[in-house]
Amino acid sequence: MKTVLCESAWAASMTRNTRLSARYWNWVKRLGKKKALVALGHTLLRIMFHILLTKKPYIELGADYLERFCQEKEKRREAHMIRLLEAKGFKVTPATAE
């Protein structure tokens, strides 16, 4: 099974403008090619499990999915911090971009 997943991961890593190839090239920088392939194989396995569990088709999220997700997460975190500070009695005003 590991062999099949690694072969599938290799094929997915060679595609263009997909979430899987973006993840692979992000991991290659830190882990190296072989470990990145195993990690991508694990991601493929998780995707397959989710597809079988929910019986819904796979939806490609795009190569910039991780960047969009991180930006949204940062915005949510900022809003949460502002709410916490305002709950403690601080007045928070957003900085102007100059």
Side-chain angles (χ1 to χ4, degrees), residues 6-24:
C6 286
E7 286 291 324
S8 301
W10 180 81
S13 70
M14 296 300 136
T15 58
R16 296 198 181 258
N17 297 325
T18 62
R19 172 182 156 218
L20 293 173
S21 68
R23 292 286 298 218
Y24 171 76

Side-chain angles (χ1 to χ4, degrees), residues 4 46 49 51-52 66 77 82 97-98:
V4 172
R46 291 175 55 197
F49 177 77
I51 289 170
L52 292 172
L66 188 59
R77 184 172 183 250
I82 289 172
E98 294 182 30

Side-chain angles (χ1 to χ4, degrees), residues 9-71:
W10 180 81
S13 70
M14 296 300 136
T15 58
R16 296 198 181 258
N17 297 325
T18 62
R19 172 182 156 218
L20 293 173
S21 68
R23 292 286 298 218
Y24 171 76
W25 290 109
N26 193 2
W27 282 329
V28 165
K29 296 174 193 172
R30 291 181 289 134
L31 303 175
K33 289 185 178 182
K34 290 186 179 186
K35 287 185 180 181
L37 280 176
V38 173
L40 191 61
H42 182 254
T43 301
L44 284 170
L45 185 62
R46 291 175 55 197
I47 289 171
M48 288 182 240
F49 177 77
H50 183 73
I51 289 170
L52 292 172
L53 187 68
T54 61
K55 295 185 178 24
K56 293 181 181 176
Y58 174 70
I59 298 171
E60 175 56 44
L61 300 173
D64 62 340
Y65 170 73
L66 188 59
E67 294 171 16
R68 286 183 288 139
F69 178 76
C70 289
Q71 289 173 354

